[in-house]
Each structure stands twice: as structure tokens, then as C-alpha cells.
Amino acid sequence: MNSHTLAQNIEDNLRNFDQQPLREAATALLNTLGYHSRRTGENIESERFNRLKEATETYATPSQTYCLDDWQDFHILFQVGDAEIDEQITHLRELFASDTTDSEDPHSYIFVTLRLDGDTYTRTQLSNITRLINRQNPKVPIMVLFRYGESLTIAITDRRPNLKDETKRVLEKVTFIKNINLNEPHAAHRNILTELSLERLIETEGVRNFDTLHKAWANILNTEPLNSEFYSELFDWYQWAVAECQFPDNNKKLEVIRLITRLLFIWFLKEKNLDKENKLVPPALFDKDKVEVVYLNSFDPETSDYYQAILQNLFFATLNTPPDERCFGTEASTYHYADLLADPDTLLKELKQVPFVNGGLFDCHVTQECFTDEVNERRNLHVPTKLFFKDKIGIFSIFDRYKFTVEEHTPIEQEVALDPELLGLVFEHLLAEINPETREKAETARKETGSYYTPRAVVDYMVEKALTEVLAQQVSPSDADPKLWKDQLHYLFDYAQVCDDASEWFDEEETDNIIRAIAELKILVVPQC
């Protein structure tokens, strides 16, 4: 099956999700992705569902943490391991000797699905539930398909051996394909699901058993390659824009970088839309058909009309101006280009709900921006509309291929999406491209001042390493094993305690001493000027 056909089948499955019971709908989606098994959980799921709810009574964590009152249908779908992968390769169904799930088979995935009663859930809420479900089976990783509101979310949990008991596993990071819209699936979600197709993984990633499948899934769900792929496309657009644009000060590279960072910020803001009726930034402003029919007098890919009448008005007269001060006028903080708009009042009405950001990102640099109604001055600026809307290579086409999230990734939770850390990474990388001399000066300045944008993973590692070393010096272990002691202290920072019992790691005296040492810690924070 080619990728286009598979993507269409995936979309059909998602759109038809509510046309059949939850078990059948979730199973149909996984089957479309090539995951089949006779090892189902039909005979044990009711018992497991009740046991899950009862298990929370033994935890100190409040039951609200797991949203137990919202739990509706729960189903153990099936289990996929080496035999099922081999069947997909050989298409020989007689390989199966069992038709029930095996909780002792660590080289497999168990797929379960859970319907929640609410419309929306945070990543942390879903992470807590995922960890709870996975904790019930210490050996086999469980993938959870959540169904709520109009969305489907897939959650996968990393595991590693328990340092004190190799028969157990410690739950680590939970990765999400989150809020897949069942009515209008995002292109990025369709692409991710297509990449997870078992047939594709067998053909292109060399998947032959569970271990190679697990590695392939991990690579696809890793956000670092996603960020690199996005930046590569964005850099190609940057070079195209520099070649096409014209600014009064002729500092095209700097102005294009400023444009990119503004649009990225707005895209994250757009992702934070509260609901269908209450949108922080109207999506119609970036919809070619709406722009051509509703907003502009004329739509010409070679003119700057869209950039000036829509984007500049959004940047300077909206995001940089309090709502009660927004109006057409002659000042840099007022709306311009009424002559380019089909109906200025329509645009004003659309922009009324956009928040006042009150940040330097949207300050109007009058000389460079040419944000004016003076026709002669407008001619000094050229940012063609095609840069935004051209099929496949326009910047909005690039943005639309990726899922953005406003929830920043953490060491224990991440979504397969672009998060706000991307703003800093893109800005720093593009600044180095202004010109060789500037790049050299910028590099020298960064080395002298230590002013680097530090990736989150590096910060997490340095903080964890420093705190572990300090605590190891301040607190001695009861068993007097320094090597194991440092490994145990790392436990405090890898968030395994979300579902693990700390008493398995530290005795009462160690716990008291650790708490005392943490209370006495002094941390020096040096602000960047």
C-alpha cells in the first residue's frame, strides 16, 4: 500500500471513529497501521478495569490525579510481539499458538483504549493515567489510546531496568501523539501515523522483531529529528525570502529573521485557541481562499498587499496595541492600508479578539518596516504574497505540515510536536547566517559572555548532575555503596516517583537526611544582561 492510500485510510478510520464501538474503532485503526493479533484481552478487561481503579486506593496520590470519575469504556485490545511481526512479514497466520494476552512477555506491546468523559485533558493528566495503567504490568509496555471529546491521543511510555530489582521496570518519559482531531485530522498527525505503519517499518526500517520495532518507534517519536527537519525546510524558505524581499535599509537577512520569529510566535499563539468560537488568532488570516475572497481587494502573488494589509496590521496595530486603542489612523500603532482591503471593518472585527502581547517582538521599526499609507514610501518595501501561500514551499504550507504545541517538553512528558523552545533555537541559528563578519563577531561575543541558547536536554542534564553530586556529598547511604547511591539519587530527578514507591529506594533515615540537605541548599542565579 502506498503512503497516499495509507494516509487516506487512516483519515477514514479517524473520521468514522464514532460510527462503531470504541473497541472496534481503535482496533480498526491499529489494523490499518498493520498491527494484528489473536492475543486479545476480551476475557479479562472488566477485571483489569476494576483492578486499575482499586489500585489507586493504595497510593498516597489523590484519585483526582487520575481523573477516575471520567473513566468510561476500557478495553485491552491485543498484544503485538515477535510472532505477530513475523506473521506480518510472512503472512502465515498459523504461527499463532495463543489467543490471550501474556503479561509475562516483555518483548511485546499491549494496546489498550480508554474513553474519558471530558472534552479536553492536559498532557500531565494523560501522563498520570498512562503511568497508572503501565504500573499494573511491570514487564510489558502498554500503549494507551485515549478517546475524549473530538480527539484521540496515543501515549507510549519508556521503561528501564530497576537498579535494585532487575525483574522490575522503572517508568520514564511518556510520549504523546496528542489531540488527533477525529473530524479534521491534522496533516502532521496523518504523517506520523503513516510512518508508524508496520508494513512501512518492515520495508524501510528493517523491522524484524520487537526490539527493532521498539527502536523504530523511538526514532519516529523522537522530537529532535522533527526539529531538525522543520529547521531545514524553514532555512530553505529563509534563503528564498532573502532573495525575493526588499527593505529600505537593505538589511534583508535581519528583516527576514524578524519576520520568521514573529510568524512562529503567532503560530504558537494560534495553537492556544481556546475553542471553536474563541480563537486568540483567527485562522482565516492565513487561509489563502479567505484572504483572496474576504480580506483583500486583489490577490497577486507578486505584490506585497498581503504582507502589508494583513500581517503588518496584525503585527503592529493589533498585537502591539491595546484593544481599546485599535483604529485606523496615521500613527505607527494604528491600522493602515484601508485601500488594499475589501472591507476594513471586517478585518477590524476579526482582529478584535487578538490579545495585546506587549512585547518588543512586534515593535514597529518605522524606517525598515514602511508601515505607512504614503504610497511613495510603500514602494521601498517588497515582501511578495507568494512567500506565504505558494504550494508546498510557502511558509504557511511548511507550518501546516507540522503540529505545534504550547506545552513545553519536560524530561517526563513530551508530545510529537514543535514546542516553544523552537523559537530560541531558530533565532540563534538564523542569526549566524546574517553575514560571515557578523557571524564571527557574534560567535566571539557568545564565547566571551557565555551567551548561548542552551537546549533543554543539556540544562536538565547539568542540573541533575550538579544536584546529584551535591546530595551525594551531603548525605551518606545506609548500605555504604557510593556507586549505587548516586544512581539512587538520580531517581529523585528522573521523576520515576510519579508512580514508584520511594520506600523501595530510600530508607527512613536516608529520606530524612535528603530532605534536610535539600532544605539547606543554596543556589546562585546569575541573570543575563
Side-chain angles (χ1 to χ4, degrees), residues 53-64:
K53 287 196 170 186
E54 291 170 1
T56 61
E57 297 176 4
T58 65
Y59 303 156
T61 310
S63 62
Q64 293 91 331

Side-chain angles (χ1 to χ4, degrees), residues 243-256:
E244 291 283 346
C245 291
Q246 183 60 51
F247 298 91
D249 60 356
N250 208 33
N251 194 350
K252 298 194 288 185
K253 293 183 177 181
L254 180 60
E255 297 304 328
V256 171

Side-chain angles (χ1 to χ4, degrees), residues 143-191:
M143 294 187 179
V144 186
L145 283 72
F146 291 99
R147 171 73 175 91
Y148 52 86
E150 297 179 354
S151 302
L152 182 75
T153 288
I154 301 174
I156 303 99
T157 308
D158 289 342
R159 296 179 174 218
R160 65 167 171 78
N162 185 310
L163 296 172
K164 282 197 167 185
D165 186 348
E166 293 184 358
T167 66
K168 295 182 179 180
R169 294 292 182 268
V170 173
L171 304 178
E172 294 190 303
K173 182 167 58 182
V174 181
T175 300
F176 294 97
I177 307 172
K178 190 169 183 284
N179 291 343
I180 303 170
N181 190 306
L182 295 174
N183 297 321
E184 297 179 16
H186 193 286
H189 284 149
R190 290 198 306 271
N191 293 340

Side-chain angles (χ1 to χ4, degrees), residues 497-510:
Q497 73 271 26
V498 171
C499 275
D500 281 358
D501 185 353
S503 65
E504 296 180 4
W505 292 78
F506 306 102
D507 61 30
E508 188 173 343
E509 181 181 356
E510 290 170 344

